[in-house]
Structures are given as structure tokens and as C-alpha cells.
Amino acid sequence: MHTITVIVPAHNEEEGLPATLESLACQTVRPDRILVVDDASTDRTGEVAASHGVTVLRPPHNLGSKAKAQNYALPQCTTDLVLAVDADTVLAPDYIETVVPVFDDPDVSVAAGTVRTRRTHTVWERGRSTEYLFGFHWHRVWGKVAGVAGWPASMQVRGGVERIGACASVAVCRHLWQGAC
């Protein structure tokens, strides 16, 4: 059985963070730990996170990027899997339950879900939805991750696209080279 920590980097995210943390609390398989990195927020991000009972990490100064905030939290992760989630992202209720078992295969190094917009009522929301479809998922849908957009040719999609719950899909990559992702 795999263990999983969720890292949520957050800078001034008090409005979107509750929905993210509620979606994590409602997972059919709960994460072992949730770390919110309150990256020098000037709003109530840290208090909102703490009110949801998660661990809040506060760097001594603004780290300046989501990646640096995620890296700040990594030394606190003692689980064998780590899931990074944006502070304004809501996961399908069965996301963790569905994605974790793919790591039973020792050749699997990466699994990623599909990003979809919550609303498509306005022209701007529909435009963002289209942007996500083509920008994030076009190559996954056609099974052409290898060699595209900076992916090494040694990364191959296994089994094409698989379903994750009712509203997401996952492309599982096999890591065929020596060394870590």
C-alpha cells in the first residue's frame, strides 16, 4: 500500500484554498498528510489552511515561485508518493484512489490528471477551457507524449489514456532511462 503526501503551494490564496482543501478532505482514499506552503501571503491563507487541520509551512521569506514552494516542502515528505496540487484546484473525489494504484508497477514514475475548468458560462471561461484542452492534453489524448514539448524520447505513454472518475483522465508514463525524473 502506497502512502501519499499532498503539497499545496499557496501565495494569497485565501479565496480558492477552501475548495481545494475540501476536495482533498473528501477523497475516497485520504492522503496521509497535507502540507500547505504559505509563501509569504499577505492575506489569511495560513489561517484558512490551519482551520482545515492541515500542516502549514511558512518559509522565512517569499520564495518567488510555485516550484520553489514545492521544493521547500519536499524535506517534510516521508511518504513514498507526493502529489502537488495548486491552491485553486479541485480534485475529482476518487482522484487519489484511482491514481495511486498505477504506481504498483515499478516502471511507472509519473501519473498526471486532466485539468478542466469548473465553469464555462462566459466566453472567457470557454476560452480557458479550450486553452487547457489543447495546451495540456492534446498530446496525451493522441498518445504522443514522447518526444513532444520537451518530453525525452525515453518517456512513453503506456496504455494511452485511462479514466479517472467521472471528470478526469490520466496518462501514465514509463520511465525507461536510468536516473530520476
Side-chain angles (χ1 to χ4, degrees):
M1 183 77 178
H2 294 286
T3 56
I4 187 166
T5 296
V6 178
I7 298 174
V8 183
H11 176 77
N12 292 338
E13 295 283 355
E14 75 175 290
E15 288 185 31
L17 189 57
T20 299
L21 296 177
E22 289 163 17
S23 81
L24 291 169
C26 292
Q27 289 294 300
T28 53
V29 170
R30 300 277 313 265
D32 297 281
R33 191 165 186 207
I34 301 172
L35 303 175
V36 173
V37 182
D38 179 9
D39 194 11
S41 297
T42 56
D43 65 2
R44 297 182 53 252
T45 295
E47 292 118 47
V48 167
S51 74
H52 282 82
V54 302
T55 302
V56 180
L57 304 176
R58 291 185 177 92
H61 57 82
N62 183 278
L63 298 172
S65 75
K66 187 184 332 181
K68 289 178 182 176
Q70 290 170 345
N71 287 337
Y72 183 82
L74 282 175
Q76 303 297 317
C77 297
T78 57
T79 55
D80 57 324
L81 298 175
V82 176
L83 170 63
V85 175
D86 287 358
D88 61 354
T89 297
V90 173
L91 298 178
D94 63 344
Y95 184 85
I96 292 174
E97 177 184 6
T98 305
V99 77
V100 166
V102 302
F103 292 98
D104 290 342
D105 180 340
D107 290 334
V108 173
S109 297
V110 177
T114 299
V115 177
R116 295 187 180 181
T117 56
R118 280 188 234 173
R119 292 175 284 282
T120 56
H121 303 298
T122 70
V123 67
W124 301 112
E125 291 168 343
R126 286 191 297 277
R128 171 74 43 99
S129 183
T130 302
E131 173 191 0
Y132 285 174
L133 173 65
F134 288 99
F136 292 134
H137 311 300
W138 180 256
H139 299 292
R140 286 189 200 173
V141 170
W142 295 105
K144 296 181 180 178
V145 172
V148 177
W151 285 83
S154 59
M155 299 288 280
Q156 297 178 355
V157 172
R158 183 192 72 194
V161 177
E162 303 169 18
R163 293 291 301 160
I164 287 191
C167 65
S169 62
V170 64
V172 180
C173 298
R174 271 186 191 251
H175 195 231
L176 302 176
W177 51 335
Q178 303 298 329
C181 285

